[in-house]
């Protein structure tokens, strides 16, 4: 059984000339995937776009620029007006999004209350997981 913490918010897609378009987004964290946070974007179609990345990367990105891979994050501003910038890159291109940093920080705190840092693998049967990886699912 998986517990989850979901939160709806509006992120802003930043266009080349600085214009911002609202993109309804769901932040999602699941205990069955304890190292990852998921962003699910609803881009005005029947399809959604999901992006998963390291929860600790998001935590570090709330304080300083980080993310050498397909996700690069940095904070700007202070207080209730602070924003978190996310650049999501794939072979098809990149998107820059902006989200309210205080909202993300509060949601992230809830994920760490559910699964504290360092306890992500508690309760895992490592031998069984390795067996599945090495020998395939039964």
């Amino acid at each position: 059984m998986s517990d989850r913490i979901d939160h709806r918010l509006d992120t802003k897609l930043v266009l080349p000339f600085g214009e911002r378009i609202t993109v309804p987004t769901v932040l999602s964290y699941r205990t069955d995937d304890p190292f990852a946070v998921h962003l699910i974007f609803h881009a005005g179609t029947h399809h959604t776009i999901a992006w998963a990345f390291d929860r600790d990367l998001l935590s570090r990105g709330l304080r300083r620029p980080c993310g050498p891979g397909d996700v690069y994050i940095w904070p700007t501003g202070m207080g209730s007006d602070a924003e978190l910038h996310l650049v999501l890159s794939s072979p098809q291109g990149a998107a820059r999004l902006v989200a309210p940093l205080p909202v993300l920080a509060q949601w992230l705190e809830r994920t760490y209350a559910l699964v504290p840092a360092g306890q992500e693998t508690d309760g895992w049967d490592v031998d069984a997981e390795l067996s599945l990886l090495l020998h395939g699912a039964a």
Side-chain angles (χ1 to χ4, degrees), residues 93-106:
R96 179 173 159 214
L97 297 134
V98 179
L101 190 144
V103 172
L104 285 166
Q106 289 174 349

Side-chain angles (χ1 to χ4, degrees), residues 39-104:
L39 303 177
I40 300 107
F41 303 104
H42 301 271
T45 67
H46 290 86
H47 302 286
T48 59
I49 300 166
W51 203 283
F53 59 95
D54 185 59
R55 177 172 70 153
D56 289 339
L57 173 64
L58 179 58
S59 179
R60 289 188 312 273
L62 293 176
R63 297 180 306 277
R64 66 182 181 279
C66 63
D70 60 350
V71 177
Y72 186 74
I73 304 171
W74 71 96
T76 60
M78 296 178 62
S80 62
D81 293 330
E83 295 180 318
L84 186 70
H85 299 256
L86 301 105
V87 175
L88 308 176
S89 302
S90 75
Q92 291 77 33
R96 179 173 159 214
L97 297 134
V98 179
L101 190 144
V103 172
L104 285 166

Side-chain angles (χ1 to χ4, degrees), residues 2 7 10-11 23 31 45 54 57 68 86 99 116 125 136:
S2 173
H7 183 78
D10 287 335
T11 58
V23 179
T31 58
T45 67
D54 185 59
L57 173 64
L86 301 105
D125 183 346

Side-chain angles (χ1 to χ4, degrees), residues 3 6 9 13 26 32 49 51 53 65 76 81 98 100 118-119 134:
D3 289 327
D6 292 343
L9 79 152
L13 175 65
V26 174
D32 65 349
I49 300 166
W51 203 283
F53 59 95
T76 60
D81 293 330
V98 179
Q119 294 182 17
L134 297 173

